[in-house]
Amino acid sequence: MIRRLRRCGHAPGTLTPEDQAAVDQFRTMLTAVRAPQPWTPGHGQDVAVRVGPFIERAHTRPGDDHGTETIAIALVHPDSGHAAGYLHGRQLGYTDRGWLRCETTAILGAWQPAYAMLTHAAANLPLPDDVGMMPAHYGVHVEARRHDGPSYTLMRLGPYTQTWLASRDADRLNTELAGRAALVITGFTVIAKNAAFDVSDRDSCTDPHGADVIELLASAVAGVTE
């Protein structure tokens, strides 16, 4: 049962400036929750994301923020950009999580400072180990570049949950490409490079987990040269 306490009109004293500021902040937060600012996909806006009963600030990854169902985000401390916020964020588990797949239905709207009081950080609580989002980190693109300029993507691999895994496979592919002339497409230079994993283009990516990337490369090249 919630008891609502009201200050009587004849009660002695008035709100202190500190109390009034707290009341104003709370009212601003309620307004922000009830009437969130629309989030516009593709505009690089920070967003307010629901994580359990809390609301967290999240950066959107450029190029991966235009999906209608899923985008890539990174949870950040509400005071992101300030040294104190960064240190506090490390203590509470905001950093080193990498990019996450966020369903757009979990986005309340564009981030507003008024939401800060609804975060784990405001409650001095660490983020839970499971925030309800899967990793959406990195990819590898194999590109065939024509010597006179035009190029196209021969193969996309991903997602990789750690950047070193993507770099390892890119290095393996480049070593294979450099050492086997049979894999070179006439008139093109073929190279593998690290790339952001584009969640909106995930259907065109090949999952490298449990696969031999050299065999995947051979199949991709054969599909072009046959």
Side-chain angles (χ1 to χ4, degrees), residues 161-185:
T161 58
Q162 298 182 48
T163 186
W164 72 268
L165 293 172
S167 296
R168 180 198 63 185
D169 279 0
D171 289 344
R172 285 190 64 204
L173 292 168
N174 282 321
T175 298
E176 184 74 6
L177 287 165
R180 291 181 58 183
L183 288 179
V184 177
I185 302 174

Side-chain angles (χ1 to χ4, degrees), residues 4-114:
R4 293 179 172 82
L5 302 180
R6 297 183 178 180
R7 179 185 293 269
C8 298
H10 58 273
T14 59
L15 288 175
T16 65
E18 292 79 9
D19 288 342
Q20 186 62 57
V23 170
D24 291 344
Q25 183 184 23
F26 185 75
R27 287 174 175 168
T28 301
M29 179 273 293
L30 286 179
T31 299
V33 171
R34 291 170 178 169
Q37 293 179 1
W39 165 66
T40 305
H43 283 62
Q45 298 167 290
D46 278 4
V47 292
V49 178
R50 296 181 182 88
V51 178
F54 295 85
I55 294 176
E56 295 294 340
R57 181 180 181 180
H59 291 329
T60 57
R61 184 163 66 188
D64 283 352
D65 63 344
H66 55 274
T68 57
E69 297 180 358
T70 307
I71 65 170
I73 59 108
L75 296 175
V76 296
H77 189 277
D79 293 333
S80 179
H82 301 285
Y86 177 77
L87 293 174
H88 196 208
R90 287 188 62 86
Q91 295 170 354
L92 298 179
Y94 281 84
T95 59
D96 301 325
R97 286 179 177 263
W99 295 102
L100 303 170
R101 293 184 185 182
C102 175
E103 295 183 3
T104 53
T105 54
I107 298 175
L108 180 64
W111 172 259
Q112 301 180 56

